[in-house]
Amino acid sequence: MKKVKALAAIISCVYGSVCFANFEIGPQLKIGPEYIHYSYREPSIQKRPLNRGTLYGVNAAFRYDRERFFVNFESKFLKGSGKYSGKSFVTRRRGGRIERSETELHYKTSENKLVESRGTFGIKTNDFGFYSGIGMRELKITSPNVSGTVKRYKRKTTNYLYFPVGASGSFYENNDDFNIFWMAEYDHLIRGSIKTKRFSNKSSWKTNNFNQNNGFGLKLLLALKIKSFEISPFFNFWSVRASKPKSYKTQMGARTYEVTSIEPKSTTREFGIRANFVF
């Protein structure tokens, strides 16, 4: 219910915005493959990336333009694999030790974004301006069977609800066969939720939920359009603050312990490229 209220508030704000339009009047559809190199860090734990991987999938966008108004809906779904290169605790008969581990990970991610703008700005052949809207992002990370006592688990399911505010433009607006577009966007995190499952099913703490509601994202894109084909390299970045501490009980042998845990501050970097056919 809170998400619905937040969405309604943002839509009302969006419809009061004054932005731009830089495409031809009428509907436009884009669809094509997308590739991403994914890198995830938790700076308080280690400087090197904890998760790295490559994802492949499809993206699509539908846009409708009027003279001084446009609405654009984007959606994508990708999946892939990578490595977890963090630290693990290995139990011995007399104490324990910390060692670095390499674990295979499987990724699934989806993102949906709706933006709207009104008004146009133009200097010679350059159209540019601002837009705002609403976006939702989901990332699921799973691991196959791992040696030792670790069983198959779903490590994280991350959901972000965010408010995008961006600027975009084109360089050759009057040329139907060739154009260059650019986009720069700031994403304000409204709500972030993370569901984490324990590595071992033997723990009494099998699942836990963390809320990370403080953070931001950045997106940069440059698109080259030749007739009905468009290729776009891009960069996405997320920085999310740590969650509030959460306590849970876990059992080791015959004893039960109370442990306090947090979801630490994290940063995510995505370098990618997409190739779209424009209709």
Side-chain angles (χ1 to χ4, degrees), residues 5-269:
K5 291 181 178 179
L7 177 60
I10 290 172
I11 290 176
S12 65
C13 173
V14 168
Y15 274 89
S17 63
V18 177
C19 305
F20 78 108
N22 62 8
F23 284 87
E24 297 178 359
I25 295 175
Q28 182 185 77
L29 174 66
K30 296 181 184 180
I31 189 169
E34 182 170 321
Y35 163 86
I36 285 179
H37 179 267
Y38 172 87
S39 175
Y40 172 86
R41 287 178 171 86
E42 293 177 353
S44 61
I45 296 179
Q46 63 181 41
K47 293 183 179 180
R48 63 181 293 183
L50 280 175
N51 298 347
R52 294 167 296 171
T54 55
L55 291 84
Y56 305 86
V58 62
N59 77 91
F62 177 80
R63 177 174 177 132
Y64 184 79
D65 277 88
R66 298 290 296 271
E67 290 185 359
R68 297 182 63 82
F69 165 85
F70 86 79
V71 60
N72 186 68
F73 176 75
E74 298 178 13
S75 183
K76 66 180 181 180
F77 175 79
L78 300 95
K79 60 189 301 184
S81 61
K83 294 289 185 180
Y84 170 82
S85 57
K87 298 176 181 179
S88 61
F89 184 80
V90 181
T91 303
R92 297 294 184 185
R93 289 184 178 180
R94 297 179 180 179
R97 64 184 177 87
I98 299 293
E99 71 175 15
R100 194 172 302 281
S101 64
E102 288 280 345
T103 303
E104 183 182 358
L105 297 176
H106 296 163
Y107 302 98
K108 288 183 181 180
T109 184
S110 62
E111 188 164 358
N112 299 289
K113 183 173 67 175
L114 176 67
V115 299
E116 179 262 4
S117 73
R118 300 186 183 189
T120 59
F121 297 93
I123 300 178
K124 295 182 180 179
T125 60
N126 303 335
D127 278 7
F128 68 94
F130 305 96
Y131 62 85
S132 57
I134 188 71
M136 298 186 71
R137 168 186 170 96
E138 181 180 76
L139 174 64
K140 292 183 178 180
I141 303 177
T142 62
S143 174
N145 292 328
V146 184
S147 61
T149 60
V150 178
K151 306 298 181 183
R152 180 175 177 84
Y153 67 96
K154 184 176 291 183
R155 181 176 181 270
K156 281 185 179 180
T157 301
T158 304
N159 289 279
Y160 290 162
L161 177 70
Y162 63 91
F163 175 41
V165 178
S168 179
S170 63
F171 292 95
Y172 302 97
E173 179 62 21
N174 297 323
N175 192 331
D176 294 334
D177 295 329
F178 178 83
N179 209 338
I180 298 175
F181 304 99
W182 59 269
M183 183 272 289
E185 179 180 297
Y186 171 83
D187 297 330
H188 177 73
L189 182 63
I190 301 171
R191 180 176 176 83
S193 64
I194 296 179
K195 184 176 181 180
T196 305
K197 287 194 176 182
R198 195 66 171 168
F199 284 88
S200 175
N201 291 328
K202 296 180 180 180
S203 171
S204 58
W205 180 53
K206 294 182 179 180
T207 63
N208 209 336
N209 295 320
F210 297 93
N211 291 326
Q212 291 180 290
N213 299 330
N214 296 312
F216 68 93
L218 300 173
K219 291 185 173 75
L220 299 173
L221 178 143
L222 185 67
L224 174 64
K225 179 177 178 291
I226 302 175
K227 295 186 177 181
S228 297
F229 179 76
E230 186 176 285
I231 187 165
S232 311
F234 62 88
F235 170 71
N236 299 333
F237 174 82
W238 278 98
S239 176
V240 181
R241 294 182 184 178
S243 67
K244 293 182 178 179
K246 205 165 192 177
S247 298
Y248 62 93
K249 292 182 179 180
T250 186
Q251 188 172 351
M252 296 182 66
R255 296 186 178 183
T256 300
Y257 299 88
E258 185 170 332
V259 181
T260 299
S261 179
I262 65 169
E263 186 67 30
K265 177 182 178 180
S266 65
T267 60
T268 301
R269 292 174 173 85

